[in-house]
Amino acid sequence: MDWNILYRFEPATSKTNGGLHSPYDSKDRDHDKNKKNNGVISKRKTSSWGGSILLDKATGVWHMYAAEMINNCGIDYWIPNSRVVHAVADTYEGPFTVADVVVEPYAHEPNAVRGPNGEWIIYMSMRHPLDPDENFWNCTSSNIMSTKTSSPYRRRTLLSATLLQPRPNDTYMTYSHSPHGPWSKPVKVLDTSRAIWDGHEVLIDTNLAVTFIDATSIVGIWRKCNNSPKGSVCENQCCTFPYLLTASNWKDPTTYHAHIDRGPIFDAILSYGSEDPMVWTNIIQMNDNGEKKDIIKAILHDEQGPSRTTAIGRYAFSDDGGKTWVYSQEDAYNGTVFWTDDDDSYTTLFRRERPHMVVEDGIPLAVSNGVQESTNDDRSWTLVQPINQL
C-alpha cells in the first residue's frame, strides 16, 4: 500500500506578519558572554534558521524552538554564533515573538518533540559545557551586506575554516515539563559524524530528529557525511546521507543506537545527498473494523544535484517501524513561495532548508523552513507555510 500521501502547499502569510522574521523588530540583541541581558540597538535584523513548532493544548499557545544567530550575523556564520531560542505565537503561522533563550552559543538545529508524559524534549547540536572562551564572529552591516557576500565560495571557505577546528559538535537532548523551562542538564545521545573535507578530517553535525513509537521508545533519522563513492564529489567534500537511529528509553543515552552498520536508509540517493530530517508518526485506519497502523513519516532537505545549496524538500515514510523506508522521487516543495497579502505575489528563495512539519494529532498543518532569499545577503529567517492534504 502507498502511504506517501502528498500535500498541497497554500499561500503563506506575508513575510512581515508570519513565521519568525526579525524577532526583535530591528532591535538586535548583541551577545556578550559576560552579560545575561543586552539591549544593543542595531540597524540590522536578527537571523534565524528553521523552527520546530509544538502546541500547548492547555493554553492554546504555539511554541517554536529555533536557531538564531548572535552579533548581527547571518546564516553563513552559524558556527559558532548560533543559539537556540524559544518563541511564542497565537497561531502556528505566527508571527512568533522570541520569549527566552534555551541554550546560548554554540547550539544549533533544534528538533522538538512532546514526550509520553507531556515533556517538552529538544534535540540539538551543541557544545557542552559551553566554552567561555569561544571566539564569536562579530558581524557588522559593512561586512555582511556587501555585494555577493553570501556566495557559494565564501560559504565553503567559512565552513571549511570552522569545521576544520577540532571542536565538538555532538547531539544532545534536554527536556522540561514546561515549554518555558527550566531545562534538564543536556545529555549527549549521538557523536559527531566524521568525514574528509578538502583533505582534512572534519566534524559534521548529525541533524537528529525522532518520533515516539511507544511510551519509552523512539525512532529517528540522522545524517552521516560519507566520502563514497570514490571518484565522485563526495570523495573530496563528503555527502550527507540519512541513517536510522533507535532507542528503547529516550531518557537513557546508553540505549541510543545509530545503526551505522546498516548503511543509509534510502536507496539510490545521489550526491550531495539528503539532510535536515523531521519525523512524525501518523496513525492510519486500515479498515472498518478499527484496525490501525502507525506510519512513520519524514520530510527532509534534498541536496541531490550539482550544489548543496537548494530550496527543495522531499517526503519519506516507513510502514514497518523504521526498518525500511521509501524516499519520494517528487519534490514536496521548491523555492517559490506565494503570499496571501497580494494576488500572484511570490518570492523565489535561494535556500530553503531545515524543514519542520507542524503536526497536531498526527495531521500536518504547515511546514517551517530556514530560508535565505538571495546570494547578495546571508540574512535568513524562518518561514511557516500552511498545507492541506490532497
Side-chain angles (χ1 to χ4, degrees), residues 183-198:
W183 298 93
S184 66
K185 180 180 178 180
V187 295
K188 185 168 70 170
V189 297
L190 187 58
D191 290 331
T192 299
S193 172
R194 295 177 178 268
I196 301 300
W197 188 296
D198 289 343

Side-chain angles (χ1 to χ4, degrees), residues 140-209:
T140 66
S141 58
S142 61
N143 68 18
I144 285 292
M145 300 294 284
S146 58
T147 302
K148 300 301 181 184
T149 187
S150 190
S151 68
Y153 173 77
R154 193 193 73 161
R155 282 198 310 281
R156 180 179 173 186
T157 301
L158 281 172
L159 188 63
S160 296
T162 53
L163 293 179
L164 287 176
Q165 300 175 16
R167 306 299 303 279
N169 198 9
D170 299 320
T171 301
Y172 284 77
M173 180 272 292
T174 182
Y175 71 93
S176 172
H177 293 283
S178 164
H180 302 277
W183 298 93
S184 66
K185 180 180 178 180
V187 295
K188 185 168 70 170
V189 297
L190 187 58
D191 290 331
T192 299
S193 172
R194 295 177 178 268
I196 301 300
W197 188 296
D198 289 343
H200 301 274
E201 185 179 66
V202 294
L203 307 178
I204 307 294
D205 48 311
T206 71
N207 294 171
L208 175 64

Side-chain angles (χ1 to χ4, degrees), residues 46-326:
T46 304
S47 280
S48 63
W49 192 244
S52 192
I53 301 173
L54 300 172
L55 173 64
D56 184 353
K57 290 186 176 180
T59 63
V61 175
W62 292 87
H63 297 266
M64 175 190 285
Y65 300 94
E68 176 189 86
M69 271 45 73
I70 63 167
N71 291 354
N72 298 320
C73 288
I75 185 58
D76 285 356
Y77 295 85
W78 63 280
I79 297 178
N81 283 44
S82 176
R83 65 181 174 185
V84 173
V85 298
H86 166 224
V88 295
D90 294 330
T91 71
Y92 58 80
E93 291 186 68
F96 283 84
T97 301
V98 173
D100 50 76
V101 178
V102 178
V103 181
E104 292 286 5
Y106 161 77
H108 195 59
E109 62 192 23
N111 269 302
V113 64
R114 295 300 300 271
N117 295 310
E119 300 93 343
W120 299 76
I121 309 167
I122 303 177
Y123 292 86
M124 71 193 101
S125 295
M126 65 177 294
R127 291 176 185 154
H128 182 73
L130 299 177
D131 186 352
D133 298 318
E134 185 76 75
N135 292 318
F136 298 110
W137 295 99
N138 187 14
C139 305
T140 66
S141 58
S142 61
N143 68 18
I144 285 292
M145 300 294 284
S146 58
T147 302
K148 300 301 181 184
T149 187
S150 190
S151 68
Y153 173 77
R154 193 193 73 161
R155 282 198 310 281
R156 180 179 173 186
T157 301
L158 281 172
L159 188 63
S160 296
T162 53
L163 293 179
L164 287 176
Q165 300 175 16
R167 306 299 303 279
N169 198 9
D170 299 320
T171 301
Y172 284 77
M173 180 272 292
T174 182
Y175 71 93
S176 172
H177 293 283
S178 164
H180 302 277
W183 298 93
S184 66
K185 180 180 178 180
V187 295
K188 185 168 70 170
V189 297
L190 187 58
D191 290 331
T192 299
S193 172
R194 295 177 178 268
I196 301 300
W197 188 296
D198 289 343
H200 301 274
E201 185 179 66
V202 294
L203 307 178
I204 307 294
D205 48 311
T206 71
N207 294 171
L208 175 64
V210 309
T211 186
F212 279 86
I213 57 174
D214 58 37
T216 59
S217 304
I218 56 173
V219 168
I221 299 176
W222 64 285
R223 70 167 183 178
K224 182 177 181 294
C225 214
N226 291 339
N227 292 110
S228 58
K230 288 189 175 182
S232 71
V233 67
C234 306
E235 185 175 11
N236 187 47
Q237 293 187 34
C238 89
C239 297
T240 56
F241 297 97
Y243 281 68
L244 176 68
L245 178 136
T246 59
S248 58
N249 183 348
W250 68 273
K251 284 188 177 181
D252 183 357
T254 65
T255 70
Y256 282 66
H257 185 33
H259 296 283
I260 296 177
D261 55 325
R262 295 181 54 173
I265 59 175
F266 303 143
D267 293 330
I269 296 293
L270 305 176
S271 60
Y272 284 87
S274 182
E275 61 162 13
D276 289 348
M278 184 274 179
V279 294
W280 73 98
T281 302
N282 189 202
I283 301 175
I284 303 294
Q285 184 161 327
M286 301 286 291
N287 51 46
D288 294 336
N289 297 325
E291 183 182 357
K292 297 180 180 180
K293 187 177 185 67
D294 289 348
I295 309 300
I296 301 175
K297 295 186 176 181
I299 189 167
L300 302 94
H301 170 224
D302 188 83
E303 294 186 307
Q304 297 182 92
S307 172
R308 294 182 189 274
T309 305
T310 72
I312 301 297
R314 290 196 178 182
Y315 296 115
F317 73 92
S318 171
D319 61 4
D320 57 7
K323 296 178 183 178
T324 60
W325 291 81
V326 174

Side-chain angles (χ1 to χ4, degrees), residues 24-42:
Y24 297 108
D25 203 15
S26 298
K27 296 181 179 180
D28 196 348
R29 296 191 307 185
D30 288 353
H31 176 79
D32 185 333
K33 63 190 176 186
N34 297 315
K35 298 179 181 179
K36 293 185 178 180
N37 298 298
N38 301 281
V40 179
I41 303 300
S42 169

